[in-house]
């Protein structure tokens, strides 16, 4: 099974909230310099799913990322985990990429990769939270798509996919080629060994320019209504916490129960 | 009222009833349609859904596009999309409102990409400019650390998904009038796609209805083990007559089943009482529960962000605090 995985580099979503500020000039959230750039966590679930499928039925895994030079780190991580090839599609920092343009650029890159059976994406990016790109890429390529996938198994040249429903799960049989957006329920991404990380770190990740994949943003930009962000702001919780204390923690626990009763919460 | 260039909502059902997000969408849709001075319509798909069409009229729909057909009993996204595309081409709404649900969040990008419209996901606030008909939306970014305000660039088709419990639901009235339009065979067509619905699967803790719960006791990574989760989280929830919930941390550590997850990628809840045990209060979690009426935090770290949201807090080891708290609550609730 030939699998393409799309990954994105994002500011570490686990970084402390205090490390993020609003830049007054641009009105956009800016992570401080101490916030690392990491692989979007859901995308690593997608890489892990690809590796498990390859382990089961064989095949080849190609990982793609649209982003500036720094995105190579995410691709190297995927290679260290077990991906066979990685390509960065070169975009410059500061360029405005909405999900429509990103999906169409990745569609062009997928066509350049050539033959594939399955494309895996994370269910959403930790920075934009949009959750549009995967489904959009499938629409752009005209292939079937299952979003919020929590399990995938190869079945007689097709795949059986479970997706997360509002209650329980829904199971589908899907003909290939197809695209899945992968949810964290699917697996726990493996940690590559130090040896593999070092080996992958030494690799040169090839990059394709937008011209090389035959993508012209200008040609597309008028064809998509889209939205424009005007500003970011940080919501502040306005509650004041009443700390309940006691001689012992047990006593504090009992006092809390009494406070809740007094407030008619219980 | 003119349906064309108006507002349309994607109605969803749960256990044979309109789901609560649908009522919220009707409330929001009524407000936006009023600003645009256009009609409000709903598209309702499923099998045996006909009786619910009248309910949508009672909630304020000027027209309901009803596809009540056995082939829509289960969710095949491609078949659902083709029916809704047909309805959009017929009714020509300017705005399509969907819930940020498993189906809404799946369908919205399909439709927006197909119609090359404007798309905003997981909106918590929405407004429309009555002159231009353009939407402005507020939605979380960076896992909820920040909110982004944005506006649509063109009014051709604006698709948005709306977060549960962010809007006031519409109130029903019996005397409302609206047209129910059956979406017939033409929409159904021949399906030649590659997707086949096989079966629904129930998962552990499926019977727990977090969204409707009045009391939730939630555990995080700090709970430490599956045994502790059962004993302190599920056990305390039982005493309070509530239900257990979990943060992503508890899931990733395999302490709790996936369907209990509360937060950005889990359920959005707003109970009367939310007890967070061993939960640090990361914004990705709090975004799913911060509208709870009373929040109680128990954590060993006095600087944990949970205390920025909590109304009551105890700093300390939950294994010492919670048994006493449980016992006292049980005692109080008996009287």
């Amino acid at each position: 099974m030939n699998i393409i995985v799309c990954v994105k580099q994002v500011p570490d979503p686990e970084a402390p909230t205090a490390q993020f500020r609003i830049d007054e000039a641009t009105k956009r959230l800016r992570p401080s310099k101490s916030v690392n750039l990491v692989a979007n966590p859901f995308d690593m679930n997608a890489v892990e799913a690809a590796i498990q499928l390859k382990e089961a039925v064989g095949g080849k895994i190609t990982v793609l990322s649209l982003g500036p030079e720094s995105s190579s780190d995410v691709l190297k991580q995927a290679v260290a985990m077990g991906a066979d090839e990685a390509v960065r599609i070169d975009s410059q920092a500061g360029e405005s990429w909405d999900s429509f343009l990103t999906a169409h650029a990745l569609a062009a890159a997928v066509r350049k990769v050539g033959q594939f059976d399955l494309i895996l994406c994370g269910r959403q990016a930790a920075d934009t939270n949009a959750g549009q790109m995967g489904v959009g890429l499938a629409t752009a390529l005209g292939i079937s798509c299952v979003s919020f996938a929590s399990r995938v198994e190869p079945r007689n040249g097709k795949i059986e996919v479970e997706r997360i429903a509002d209650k329980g799960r829904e199971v589908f049989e899907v003909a290939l080629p197809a695209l899945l957006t992968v949810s964290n329920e699917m697996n726990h991404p493996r940690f590559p060994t130090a040896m593999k990380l070092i080996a992958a770190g030494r690799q040169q990740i090839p990059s394709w320019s937008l011209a090389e994949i035959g993508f012209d943003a200008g040609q597309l930009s008028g064809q998509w209504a889209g939205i424009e962000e005007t500003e970011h702001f940080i919501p502040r919780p306005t509650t004041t916490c009443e700390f309940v204390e006691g001689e012992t923690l047990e006593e504090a626990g009992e006092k809390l129960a009494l406070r809740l009763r007094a407030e008619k919460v219980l | 009222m003119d349906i064309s260039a108006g507002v349309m909502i994607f109605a969803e059902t749960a256990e044979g009833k309109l789901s609560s997000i649908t009522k919220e969408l009707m409330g929001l849709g009524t407000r936006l349609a009023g600003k645009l001075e256009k009609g409000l319509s709903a598209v309702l798909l499923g099998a045996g859904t006909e009786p619910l069409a009248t309910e949508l009229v009672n909630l304020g729909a000027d027209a309901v596009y009803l596809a009540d057909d056995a082939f829509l009993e289960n969710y095949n996204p491609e078949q659902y999309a083709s029916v809704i595309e047909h309805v959009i081409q017929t009714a020509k709404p300017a705005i399509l409102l969907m819930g940020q649900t498993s189906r809404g969040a799946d369908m919205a990008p399909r439709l927006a990409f197909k119609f090359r419209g404007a798309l905003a996901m997981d909106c918590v606030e929405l407004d429309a400019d009555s002159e231009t008909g353009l939407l402005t939306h507020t939605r979380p970014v960076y896992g909820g650390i920040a909110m982004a305000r944005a506006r649509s660039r063109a009014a051709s088709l604006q698709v948005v998904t709306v977060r549960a419990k962010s809007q006031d639901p519409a109130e029903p009235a019996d005397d409302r009038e609206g047209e129910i339009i059956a979406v017939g065979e033409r929409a159904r067509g021949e399906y030649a796609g590659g997707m086949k619905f096989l079966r629904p699967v129930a998962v552990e803790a499926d019977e727990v209805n977090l969204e409707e719960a009045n009391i939730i006791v939630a555990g995080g990574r700090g709970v430490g083990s599956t045994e502790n989760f059962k004993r302190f989280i599920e056990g305390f929830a039982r005493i309070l007559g509530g239900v257990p919930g979990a943060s992503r941390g508890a899931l990733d550590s395999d302490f709790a089943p996936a369907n209990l997850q509360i937060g950005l990628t889990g359920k959005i809840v707003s109970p009367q009482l939310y007890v967070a045990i061993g939960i640090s209060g990361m914004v990705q979690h709090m975004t799913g529960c911060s509208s709870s009426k009373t929040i109680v935090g128990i954590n060993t770290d006095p600087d944990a962000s949970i205390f920025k949201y909590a109304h009551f807090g105890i700093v300390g080891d939950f294994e010492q605090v919670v048994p006493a708290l449980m016992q006292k609550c049980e005692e109080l609730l008996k009287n």
Side-chain angles (χ1 to χ4, degrees), chain A residues 129-176:
Chain A
N129 292 128
Q132 310 174 357
M133 208 292 296
V135 179
L137 174 57
T139 311
L141 289 167
I143 59 174
S144 290
C145 171
V146 179
S147 62
F148 310 130
S150 51
R151 182 175 64 80
V152 54
E153 278 166 40
R155 283 282 154 84
N156 310 320
K158 298 182 177 182
I159 47 172
E160 188 176 297
V161 186
E162 188 183 87
R163 79 183 285 274
I164 296 165
D166 289 330
K167 263 214 178 306
R169 307 274 193 266
E170 297 166 330
V171 184
F172 298 88
E173 178 190 88
V174 185
L176 300 173

Side-chain angles (χ1 to χ4, degrees), chain A residues 85-116:
Chain A
E85 285 186 8
V87 184
R88 182 175 65 84
I89 296 105
D90 190 37
S91 78
Q92 300 306 312
E95 280 175 356
S96 157
W97 284 87
D98 67 11
S99 56
F100 182 79
L101 291 176
T102 306
H104 280 85
L106 285 170
V110 164
R111 289 190 195 103
K112 188 170 163 68
V113 170
Q115 199 270 333
F116 69 92

